[in-house]
């Protein structure tokens, strides 16, 4: 009988613990949903206990890690990128503001809230602060010591985040469903029971209304905070016990990102975002009264169709440009946890929008309804489907194509040429082994290049020495070659600019779609086509499953596109 | 611009194709469910088209593969085990019988079935035969040529199987729900509308009833056929493009499995299975009338609690024995697709039973109901939870612990000793480097050992040569050592026997639980506790999600336990 510190058993048990805790929490949350009560002791008490225990573990982990000098030895440098930490801090800040507003709201309604409910935002604020500090300091760490305890701690915190997310999503869903039921009741000319609004637990003061409405706008940020934290915790869990040290990305790639290359993309993107706000407001106003609902839907569908088809076209151009420039240099071998998790999350969350749009398409297709609105709905669903497919492909191509290991300094006097991997494939295609044409394909500045490929670059950098004499002898061929390379180089610069613009454009457009999803415009629940085809309950379930996924997909696309943009900038930095 | 034959893009696109097709199919299926019609043109037509196109691809693939001599070069020998193929053939046979029965049923009702519906079982039979032949011949293949087309073909066939599965599950669910609604109506003393049964599409002849009831008993086999095929197709898809040839398991491990070692396990298991039939029949009889429902539930809960706690105890003994015998020789490095898929499927499907039992536990815990029945329900849910956890752990330990690479021939004259990896750890624990005590820990017969470790065994097999002289010199110590080793060996033989018995016992018990789940006994839908806590709709959704997973979990456990049993037998074969 050996010690029970066996990695596989611990991994299994911690996964099962996550499943059990998540199921337990969802049972508690769903039971409350069934009772249609939003502020309850069970849920708040349960989540408070979870947050307190998670905070205790995080404090303990931080304390032992701070003492441990060896913790910096094993790190996954691809985990916990700076932009991720920045995003997390932003969402945490929004969550803290939300907590203040919620506390104020509960204070206004103090006559009907208990101590458990009132203390909830305070505990959440403490939990948020501790979690942000932990993830900022230890996102890259590969845990080596006390693995079993730390794995359980990570899974406990992960479950807490998932359940916090679920609780917010369910709350929001309940509110929306109640609004829809209200609309349906009003349609049936049912007069609301007067006893309903004389409830003592309803906002009466202006301050209370401000608190309540402000909180509603901050909930999406809280949702994102939970999801971001979950993925980062999962990466730490996945990295635990790893000893293979992944080399740090060299520092010289930083600071080379300038936005001026992507001016057109920024302008177009900003235009789309501002138009989104206009559409959102007009939809909100028009969807209020039943007579103008078709008008609201028409605006929404039209705007979205245009936006999504623009995104699709941009993605297609991006894919084509990607392939033109890089010639399929996929680093299939580098199986980093972070990158494959990124792609898996992107694919998984894209199932949300795909599910809804395919269901819409089937409904419209089989119902054979004619009319302006239905064609627009069909158009919208079709655009959404192809947009998601195109964007997934573009992000994967941009992320997995060769990053900036080879860089160029253009000063025509001292040029260091280096052959990249392309040479082999290109030679085999052309059949002629003309080194001078080939080496222009990728410019390399092999000084202080700390990339994993540096050894290869060093080996290849002998090639220019062999070239130099030949260039001196045939001067005309050299100048011709120079002109050719300059032409090629300007060609590549244009292509990179296109890719940069497309990335920025797609980031802005995804933010637009995210704003539309996250704030109030729910055309799926208003539109009657799908409801009549699938029945109200089934359709609401489908929408409710796919909406949070869709919101997460947009957020995650923005993050991945930003990474792709950095990738492109690094490779384009002169 | 290069050729579009890029593996990553193809993988992505085929995955997205699977998602789109599955969503499209589920939309069609769910829409029909909403209309409460069981025999419809859309669903049958859609599935027929899917099956015909899949069959076309499979025929084409089989034809090109038969011509291709190189197809046998790249094979994953861990995929498509013989027992898997045997199981598949069995389920296919049941599906063919089911098709005959369905055809007969449709023939009896020919006045109200169309040609699309009538041809459905025939198409299904053709599809089943083609699929079984394909999977029998090419389950191990690593596709190298025309990867993109074949990946799409595999995903198309996979989607067909998933949708066939979904269609059967939805049909079954609808029937059960209708039964429950009928019971509820009868409770409310609503007299059934007489027009409902004068429908022309209802069985009138005895033959028709026999067809209908026979088909109902064969549906679970059809479900399993779809799931088995799906996993095998997924393995082929995952293996496509792999060139690293995984070595074949040497033939000498076969034929050494004898069942006589596990006599006690078999007897106890057979007893459990026969008792299961008794309980199933009595539950079916008692649950018919509302007055005896509590009695039926009591019997069901009691029987299950006993069965599940016995399984849990067996699993715990198994885990302890596993660790005692093998001393944690996990081959963490061998990341075969099949094994990790097995474990992932086991973990994933175990979420079904866990979900239901945790939800039940929460409901009983928060409702604070007292009473005989509720304590039994609590007991049942608790037993189920710990049983699933224990069984998952046991299967993982048994599957991942060292298989039969090292074997023993006991004939006290010529003994070949070999040190296994244990030595290092054990030495470091004991602090004394006594080779003769250590080497008895694992006996090895390194002749014709074709395992990946054979090189290590060959290196280690020099050790006995060093030992041999020492044994000749000190003869008393040799005989003492012999006695010690014989004692140890008999000890290990007992342990192996225990493991064999436990595996067989768990196989039988899992079959019992599977029979209970698959055939008609649905206590979760009859019991009122959870319905009152979560509401009818939510609870039905939870049960409907977890039941198919639970059935698959039991089937998959049986398969994995059988593999574990073979593992144990191989390592115990003298």
């Amino acid at each position: 009988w050996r010690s029970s510190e066996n990695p596989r058993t611990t991994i299994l048990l911690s996964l099962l613990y996550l499943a059990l805790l998540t199921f337990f929490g969802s049972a508690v949350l769903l039971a409350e949903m069934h009772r249609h009560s939003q502020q309850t002791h069970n849920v708040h008490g349960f989540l408070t206990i979870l947050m307190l225990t998670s905070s205790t573990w995080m404090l303990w982990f931080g304390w032992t890690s701070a003492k441990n000098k060896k913790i910096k030895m094993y790190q996954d440098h691809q985990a916990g990128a700076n932009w991720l930490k920045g995003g997390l801090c932003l969402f945490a800040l929004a969550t803290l503001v939300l907590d203040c507003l919620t506390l104020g709201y509960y204070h206004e309604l103090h006559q009907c809230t208990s101590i458990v409910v009132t203390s909830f935002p305070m505990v959440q604020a403490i939990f948020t602060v501790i979690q942000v500090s932990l993830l900022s300091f230890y996102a890259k760490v590969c845990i080596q010591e006390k693995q079993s305890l730390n794995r359980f701690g990570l899974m406990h915190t992960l479950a807490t985040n998932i359940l916090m997310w679920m609780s917010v999503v369910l709350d929001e869903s309940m509110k929306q469903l109640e609004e829809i039921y209200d609309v349906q009741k009003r349609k049936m000319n049912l007069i609301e029971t007067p006893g309903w609004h004389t409830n003592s637990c309803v906002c009466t003061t202006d301050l209370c209304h401000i608190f309540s409405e402000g909180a509603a706008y901050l909930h999406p940020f809280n949702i994102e905070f939970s999801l971001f934290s979950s993925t980062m915790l999962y990466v730490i869990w996945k990295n635990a016990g790893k000893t293979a040290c992944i080399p740090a990305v060299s520092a010289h790639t930083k600071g080379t990102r300038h936005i001026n290359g992507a001016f057109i993309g920024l302008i177009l993107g900003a235009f789309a975002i501002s138009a989104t706000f206009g559409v959102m407001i007009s939809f909100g106003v028009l969807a209020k009264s039943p007579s103008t609902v078709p008008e609201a839907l028409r605006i929404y569908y039209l705007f979205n169709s245009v936006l999504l088809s623009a995104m699709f076209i941009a993605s297609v151009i991006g894919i084509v440009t990607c392939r033109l420039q890089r010639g399929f240099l996929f680093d299939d071998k580098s199986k980093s946890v972070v990158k494959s998790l990124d792609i898996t999350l992107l694919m998984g969350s894209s199932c949300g929008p795909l599910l809804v749009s395919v269901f819409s398409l089937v409904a419209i297709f089989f119902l054979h309804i004619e009319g302006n609105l239905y064609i627009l709905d069909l158009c919208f669903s079709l655009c959404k489907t192809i947009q998601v497919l195109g964007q997934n492909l573009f992000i994967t191509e941009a992320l997995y194509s060769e990053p900036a290991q080879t860089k160029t300094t253009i000063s025509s006097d001292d040029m260091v040429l280096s052959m990249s991997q392309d040479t082999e494939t290109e030679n085999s295609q052309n059949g002629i082994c003309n080194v001078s044409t080939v080496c222009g394909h990728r410019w390399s500045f092999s000084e202080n290049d700390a990339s994993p490929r540096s050894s290869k670059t060093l080996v290849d950098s002998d090639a220019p020495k062999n070239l130099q004499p030949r260039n001196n002898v045939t001067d005309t061929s050299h100048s011709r070659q120079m002109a050719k390379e300059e032409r090629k180089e300007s060609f590549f610069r244009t292509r990179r600019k296109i890719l940069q613009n497309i990335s920025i454009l797609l980031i802005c457009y995804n933010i637009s779609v995210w704003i539309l999803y996250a704030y109030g415009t729910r055309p799926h629940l208003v539109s009657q086509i799908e409801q009549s085809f699938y029945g109200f309950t089934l359709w609401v379930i489908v929408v409710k499953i796919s909406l949070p996924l869709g919101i997460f997909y947009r957020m995650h696309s923005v993050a991945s596109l930003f990474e792709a943009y950095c990738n492109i900038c690094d490779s384009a930095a002169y």
Side-chain angles (χ1 to χ4, degrees), chain A residues 62-167:
Chain A
W63 186 65
T64 50
S65 300
K67 284 197 305 178
N68 189 355
K69 302 283 180 222
K70 283 193 288 182
I71 198 108
K72 295 278 169 197
M73 268 177 65
Y74 302 106
Q75 288 200 323
D76 179 359
H77 289 279
Q78 290 193 300
N82 279 334
W83 60 265
L84 209 64
K85 286 181 190 168
L88 192 76
C89 289
L90 192 79
F91 293 135
L93 212 70
T95 306
L96 289 178
V97 176
L98 172 70
D99 286 331
C100 293
L101 292 179
T102 317
L103 198 65
Y105 176 72
Y106 287 153
H107 181 75
E108 289 289 313
L109 300 177
H110 58 91
Q111 70 276 12
C112 56
T113 52
S114 67
I115 185 78
V116 177
V117 175
T118 318
S119 66
F120 181 78
M122 285 188 275
V123 175
Q124 195 185 13
I126 296 167
F127 172 73
T128 307
V129 169
I130 294 176
Q131 182 159 290
V132 165
S133 337
L134 183 93
L135 289 177
S136 308
F137 286 122
Y138 300 110
K140 292 176 194 297
V141 86
C142 298
I143 296 169
Q144 302 294 330
E145 282 167 5
K146 297 208 185 68
Q147 270 189 47
S148 47
L149 181 66
N150 283 327
R151 272 188 195 277
F152 276 99
L154 283 167
M155 279 308 183
H156 188 81
T157 318
L158 183 56
T160 310
N161 276 298
I162 291 174
L163 290 172
M164 294 289 292
W165 170 79
M166 204 184 260
S167 142

Side-chain angles (χ1 to χ4, degrees), chain A residues 25-47:
Chain A
S26 6
V28 173
L29 291 176
L30 288 173
E32 295 299 328
M33 198 186 81
H34 166 57
R35 291 179 195 164
H36 295 284
S37 53
Q38 277 180 31
Q39 296 162 21
T40 47
H41 295 257
N42 284 344
V43 171
H44 282 90
F46 177 68
L47 288 177

Side-chain angles (χ1 to χ4, degrees), chain A residues 215-272:
Chain A
Y217 280 97
L218 287 170
H219 274 307
F221 291 100
N222 185 20
I223 290 174
E224 290 308 320
F225 175 69
S226 303
L227 289 176
F228 260 60
S229 307
S230 301
T231 50
M232 285 174 90
L233 287 166
Y234 177 74
V235 168
I236 299 179
W237 179 83
K238 196 86 188 169
N239 275 332
K242 272 197 186 160
T243 47
C245 199
I246 293 153
V249 179
S250 53
H252 75 107
T253 58
K254 280 176 192 163
T256 52
R257 285 157 210 157
H258 31 59
I259 207 78
N260 31 2
F263 193 67
I264 306 161
L266 259 184
I267 293 291
L268 285 174
F271 180 71

Side-chain angles (χ1 to χ4, degrees), chain A residues 162-223:
Chain A
I162 291 174
L163 290 172
M164 294 289 292
W165 170 79
M166 204 184 260
S167 142
V168 176
V169 168
L170 281 180
D171 258 23
E172 295 278 290
S173 303
M174 284 308 296
K175 276 182 204 160
Q176 282 157 25
L177 281 184
E178 269 165 26
E179 273 172 29
I180 289 162
Y181 284 130
D182 280 359
V183 169
Q184 284 188 334
K185 270 183 199 161
R186 248 180 287 154
K187 265 187 198 161
M188 292 171 186
N189 293 322
L190 287 170
I191 303 144
E192 286 178 35
T193 47
W196 198 74
H197 267 302
T198 52
N199 194 331
S200 68
C201 297
V202 159
C203 271
T204 45
T205 60
D206 277 353
L207 195 65
C208 174
H209 274 291
I210 291 170
F211 282 148
S212 161
E213 276 169 29
Y217 280 97
L218 287 170
H219 274 307
F221 291 100
N222 185 20
I223 290 174

Side-chain angles (χ1 to χ4, degrees), chain A residues 449-483:
Chain A
D449 191 345
S451 74
R453 282 249 181 119
S454 57
S455 59
K456 185 166 280 175
T457 322
L458 285 172
V459 171
D460 289 347
S461 62
D462 293 336
K465 288 172 193 159
N466 303 333
L467 278 175
Q468 226 73 45
R470 213 212 280 181
N471 291 345
N472 291 342
V473 171
T474 53
D475 213 55
T476 47
S477 81
H478 177 248
S479 66
R480 216 193 309 147
Q481 185 195 318
M482 279 294 298

